[in-house]
Amino acid sequence: MTTSLADVAASGATLRAFLHGLPGVDRVGADQRAAMLGTRSIKTTAKARAIDLAISMV
């Protein structure tokens, strides 16, 4: 069954039900990934984007 974005956003209750059905974030894994990205030797802009992505997933 595929649910459209319009159906999910139809009411606060359907949005809450959808969000509660999503899997949780592995905080330990996200923290480890963010720490690893902070020590890698990559371009500054790419590093900043990767850290922003890791933070947004928490």
Side-chain angles (χ1 to χ4, degrees):
M1 178 179 148
T2 303
T3 304
S4 73
L5 184 57
D7 292 338
V8 170
S11 73
T14 57
L15 180 57
R16 275 191 299 281
F18 176 77
L19 292 175
H20 284 291
L22 294 175
V25 173
D26 175 16
R27 182 174 178 121
V28 173
D31 289 344
Q32 289 174 344
R33 179 75 174 140
M36 183 187 71
L37 288 170
T39 61
R40 287 183 55 194
S41 177
I42 56 177
K43 290 184 181 177
T44 303
T45 54
K47 186 185 296 186
R49 276 192 237 139
I51 290 172
D52 287 344
L53 176 61
I55 291 170
S56 71
M57 292 189 299
V58 174

